């Protein structure tokens, strides 16, 4: 594998891309190509520790050949890898990912027409025990400001008292992202998956081409964000990446977690056709209730008007409240059967931008959607499983959002490289299949003739193939 990688991938672009990070004086630093190759080898071997990467490379002749080192030649220190990764900007790693993606596109692996997106929690290099209250930080800043004021003021004696909570930090029983933060990695956020314990995570968003399972875009967000909040930022980058290589995205497939007004608007703004199930709070049609857009109200079966009252924010997005007085509803003979009846009268909670949800609902009723949703599960979810299980994405060793994005770019590049090395075009496959059939047919014809000359030969053509 490493022999093929060395022949097919040209890493020379790294010199011009990393030139701004180096000076002309001082000791010689690690070669940018050697560093990037070692990083790729670490993800290809499912190693997320710089120390283990160096130890493994010292014992592997194929990796030494890949990075251009001789037997016995001293490898860089593992701390050099960590410092170099921190030195390089995020754009260096994303450029490597885009170069690999371009090679996949040039080989005809990516169609670009239909994309699937999904998310995964990535464990951060931080512990829940490192979380402290955010108020403590503000108290420390106030105390520091008072100290500096005392030093500047030489005419007065100021007696300062340390904040009450500064000396002793009392951990909260139920810490949350709003009240607490991690001192070791402030960008990490506490999140919980159903059936699992809470942990410090990042949220990784993955875009995959549904034709070839090649990763077309990958980005990390803070774990306190939802999928629907990430998609307006994710979609333009995914579309632009493929557009740079001459591919036009037409369709987007995702699960119900991406259903929100900003997400649906972003899909239509990009000129895409989305296939996303609406969330459970959406009601397509209320039987007997008619909406009058000119007056912005609902009319009930008995002729009562539910007028607009307020707009409020929920977890799934903004909603509008339409109400009918309870005095009117009490006189109605259908109050016991009314689906919108509450103790405060008739109430309808409607999503803002309902026409976006209506269009998506109508599109999701077709037979094509059932096929696409099943295909999505067999496309993007196995890719995420491969990244987590075999390419070092179960837990990142970097800290900070920028560092995690660097790791994701390397893992995605390693995944696409493996796909590219195993890929054979359909034309070549068809030619091989035709050749194999012709050989089998020819052998069937020749075998009886050979048996007449050599009667001792026995067996089918498969045995003598």
């Amino acid at each position: 594998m490493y022999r093929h990688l060395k022949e097919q991938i040209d890493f020379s672009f790294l010199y011009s891309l990393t030139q701004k990070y180096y000076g002309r004086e001082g000791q010689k630093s690690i070669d940018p190509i050697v560093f990037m190759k070692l990083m790729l080898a670490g993800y290809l071997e499912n190693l997320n520790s710089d120390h283990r990467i160096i130890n493994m490379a010292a014992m592997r002749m194929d990796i030494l050949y890949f990075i251009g080192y001789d037997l016995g030649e001293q490898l860089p220190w593992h701390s050099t890898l960590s410092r170099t990764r921190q030195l390089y900007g995020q754009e260096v790693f994303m450029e490597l990912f885009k170069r690999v993606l371009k090679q996949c596109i040039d080989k005809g692996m990516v169609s670009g027409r239909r994309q699937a997106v999904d998310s995964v929690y990535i464990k951060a290099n931080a512990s829940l025990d490192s979380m402290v209250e955010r108020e403590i930080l503000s108290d420390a800043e106030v105390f520091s400001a008072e100290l500096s004021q005392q030093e500047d003021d030489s005419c007065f004696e100021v007696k300062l008292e340390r904040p009450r909570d500064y000396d002793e930090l009392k951990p909260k029983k139920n810490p949350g992202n709003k009240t607490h933060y991690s001192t070791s990695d402030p960008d990490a956020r506490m999140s919980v998956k159903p059936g699992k314990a809470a942990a410090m995570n990042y949220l990784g968003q993955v875009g995959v081409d549904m034709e070839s399972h090649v990763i077309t875009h990958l980005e990390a967000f803070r774990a306190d964000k939802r999928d629907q909040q990430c998609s307006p930022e994710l979609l333009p980058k995914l579309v632009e990446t493929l557009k740079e290589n001459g591919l036009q995205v037409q369709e987007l497939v995702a699960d119900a977690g991406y259903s929100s007004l900003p997400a649906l608007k972003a899909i239509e703004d990009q000129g895409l056709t989305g296939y996303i199930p609406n969330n459970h709070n959406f009601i397509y049609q209320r039987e007997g209730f008619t909406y009058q857009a000119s007056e912005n109200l609902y009319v009930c079966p008995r002729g009562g008007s539910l007028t607009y009252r307020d707009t409020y924010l929920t977890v799934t997005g903004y909603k509008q409240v339409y109400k009918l007085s309870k005095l009117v509803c009490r006189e109605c003979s259908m109050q016991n059967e009314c689906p919108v009846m509450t103790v405060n009268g008739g109430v309808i909670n409607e999503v803002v931008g309902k026409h976006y949800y209506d269009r998506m609902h109508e599109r999701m009723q077709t037979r094509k959607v059932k096929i696409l949703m099943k295909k999505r599960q067999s496309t993007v979810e196995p890719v995420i499983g491969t990244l987590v299980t075999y390419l070092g994405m179960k837990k990142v060793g970097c800290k900070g959002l920028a560092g995690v994005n660097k790791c994701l770019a390397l893992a995605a590049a390693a995944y696409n490289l493996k796909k590219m090395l195993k890929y054979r075009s359909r034309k070549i496959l068809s030619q091989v299949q035709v050749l194999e059939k012709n050989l089998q047919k020819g052998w069937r014809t020749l075998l009886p003739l050979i048996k007449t000359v050599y009667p001792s030969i026995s067996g089918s053509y498969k045995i003598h193939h």
Side-chain angles (χ1 to χ4, degrees), residues 250-283:
Q250 298 179 9
E251 298 178 345
L252 184 79
V253 186
D255 57 24
Y258 292 85
S259 177
S260 69
L261 179 60
L264 298 181
K265 288 181 66 176
I267 292 174
E268 295 193 7
D269 291 343
Q270 294 295 326
L272 308 180
T273 302
Y275 298 96
I276 303 175
N278 289 321
N279 56 62
H280 63 278
N281 293 325
F282 169 75
I283 300 176

Side-chain angles (χ1 to χ4, degrees), residues 141-202:
E141 292 176 351
V142 171
F143 182 71
S144 176
E146 291 177 348
L147 285 177
S148 60
Q149 182 181 0
Q150 182 185 21
E151 293 175 357
D152 296 338
D153 193 353
S154 58
C155 300
F156 301 96
E157 292 186 1
V158 182
K159 184 178 181 180
L160 299 177
E161 294 183 0
R162 294 168 67 87
R164 184 179 300 174
D165 297 330
Y166 188 83
D167 295 322
E168 183 178 358
L169 303 179
K170 296 181 179 180
K172 190 177 180 181
K173 293 183 179 179
N174 297 317
N177 293 319
K178 293 183 178 180
T179 59
H180 289 65
Y181 78 103
S182 172
T183 55
S184 57
D185 188 356
D187 286 339
R189 295 290 185 269
M190 185 180 69
S191 59
V192 182
K193 289 191 69 175
K196 294 187 178 180
M200 303 299 294
N201 294 322
Y202 285 92

Side-chain angles (χ1 to χ4, degrees), residues 26-42:
Q27 295 183 354
K28 186 178 179 180
S29 58
I30 184 174
D31 191 313
I33 293 181
V34 173
F35 162 76
M36 201 62 72
K37 287 183 175 181
L38 284 172
M39 289 288 97
L40 278 178

Side-chain angles (χ1 to χ4, degrees), residues 11 45 105 112 127 147 187 196 231-232 236 254 268 282 287 302 317 324 331 355 372 374 377 381 459:
F11 292 89
E45 302 294 335
I105 294 173
S127 171
L147 285 177
D187 286 339
K196 294 187 178 180
S231 54
E268 295 193 7
F282 169 75
E287 187 177 356
R302 290 294 183 179
L324 180 61
E331 298 177 358
H355 53 284
L372 286 179
K374 288 184 179 179
Q377 292 179 348
E381 293 181 5

Side-chain angles (χ1 to χ4, degrees), residues 13-24 32 88 92:
F13 71 94
L14 291 171
Y15 288 125
S16 59
L17 203 61
T18 60
Q19 185 178 5
K20 61 182 179 180
Y21 297 104
Y22 296 99
R24 297 183 179 180
Y88 291 167
V92 177

